[in-house]
Amino acid sequence: MQLPWLGEHTPFPPTQAALGPNSDAPGLLAAGGGLDVPRLREAYRHGIFPWYGEGQPILWWSPDPRMVLPVAEFRLSRSLRKTIQKFLATPGCEIRFDHDFRAVITACAQTPREGQPGTWIVPEMVEAYVRLHLAGHAHSVETWIDGRLAGGLYGIGLGRMFFGESMFAWQTDASKIALAALVAFCRAEQIGMIDCQQHTQHLASLGARLLPRPQFEGHLAATVDAPPPWRWSYDRAHWERLGIAVPALKVSLAP
């Protein structure tokens, strides 16, 4: 198979044309093109995402099957529940949405990954997703402790669908807390699925599972054009969607 090369206005080939599971690069669909906002929106609408390394052309992927997290199936372990309850009760611990998107994606790019010598979030990708964020389509969920960013994640929101991209933690469980906050938000906003792209044991332990491409694309067709959430914002009441009791905020009456 000769890999299709995309020009500036070349449409994506059908996702069924992606390389199969027995190839050297399962899910690879095309190369080239650009990372402007319309191109990225069109890609995600059809379940296609860019993933490439330094010195490579832009590579576009559509793996089959697809790792997804149905938010109704999110597994909240007893230990993570206790961690979140402690976090919510501790002064100086906060969840923020879209407070510092650039800091989150930069941290995701710079945080070492076990078994990965480098990063696929190259500078060109950082700038592209910052533009997507400024256009209202990319979002970050952030864990802050004592005024400092401790962990978080980012991804793309289209209609009632969220496409997770990457997460990082500078303090223990900070990314897991952010993911739980995202799941709680998604449940509150009728966003039924989070795309996880690739299979990992960590995601599987949280309730993610593989979904055949036709089913995944069927879900996209029903959700990406739906009215999006009125606002991407954190609400402490969302934790109740995970069965987590929210402690009352302590308010100082000192002058």
Side-chain angles (χ1 to χ4, degrees):
M1 170 186 171
Q2 184 174 0
L3 191 66
W5 185 267
L6 306 180
E8 183 178 357
H9 301 293
T10 309
F12 287 107
T15 54
Q16 294 78 8
L19 296 181
N22 296 323
S23 70
D24 292 335
L28 182 58
L29 178 67
L35 294 174
D36 56 86
V37 170
R39 172 68 84 176
L40 286 170
R41 274 179 48 85
E42 184 66 13
Y44 281 95
R45 281 174 50 82
H46 294 92
I48 302 165
F49 59 89
W51 185 35
Y52 62 102
E54 198 75 53
Q56 294 180 325
I58 299 171
L59 300 175
W60 300 94
W61 302 77
S62 173
D64 184 19
R66 188 74 161 237
M67 194 70 167
V68 300
L69 174 58
V71 299
E73 300 175 21
F74 176 66
R75 295 177 191 154
L76 182 64
S77 67
R78 182 179 301 177
S79 61
L80 181 56
R81 180 184 297 273
K82 289 182 178 179
T83 296
I84 293 171
Q85 289 172 329
K86 181 180 179 181
F87 179 88
L88 294 174
T90 303
C93 291
E94 303 175 78
I95 294 292
R96 303 178 185 178
F97 280 33
D98 291 341
H99 180 78
D100 197 339
F101 181 90
R102 181 180 286 276
V104 171
I105 190 172
T106 300
C108 287
Q110 295 176 348
T111 300
R113 314 278 177 176
E114 185 177 352
Q116 295 183 18
T119 178
W120 57 269
I121 310 174
V122 296
E124 181 184 21
M125 289 274 276
V126 171
E127 297 307 318
Y129 282 83
V130 168
R131 292 192 297 270
L132 201 61
H133 168 66
L134 294 175
H137 306 304
H139 303 281
S140 56
V141 181
E142 309 158 11
T143 305
W144 289 75
I145 300 176
D146 294 330
R148 295 187 177 183
L149 182 63
L153 59 88
Y154 77 95
I156 290 80
L158 294 179
R160 298 283 165 168
M161 179 67 195
F162 188 79
F163 303 84
E165 280 294 313
S166 186
M167 59 198 323
F168 80 99
W170 286 337
Q171 294 200 31
T172 303
D173 290 332
S175 60
K176 291 182 181 179
I177 295 171
L179 177 59
L182 172 64
V183 170
F185 172 85
C186 288
R187 288 187 180 182
E189 294 291 342
Q190 290 78 55
I191 297 173
M193 184 179 291
I194 298 171
D195 175 34
C196 303
Q197 297 181 351
Q198 303 285 353
H199 179 276
T200 69
Q201 287 301 121
H202 172 64
L203 290 170
S205 71
L206 295 171
R209 56 182 171 85
L210 293 170
L211 191 68
R213 183 192 287 132
Q215 294 181 33
F216 177 68
E217 292 181 350
H219 182 81
L220 295 186
T223 57
V224 294
D225 291 323
W230 177 73
R231 184 181 179 186
W232 279 79
S233 62
Y234 172 66
D235 187 332
R236 283 172 64 88
H238 288 165
W239 288 111
E240 296 174 3
R241 303 284 177 160
L242 296 180
I244 295 176
V246 181
L249 289 171
K250 296 180 180 180
V251 179
S252 174
L253 298 180

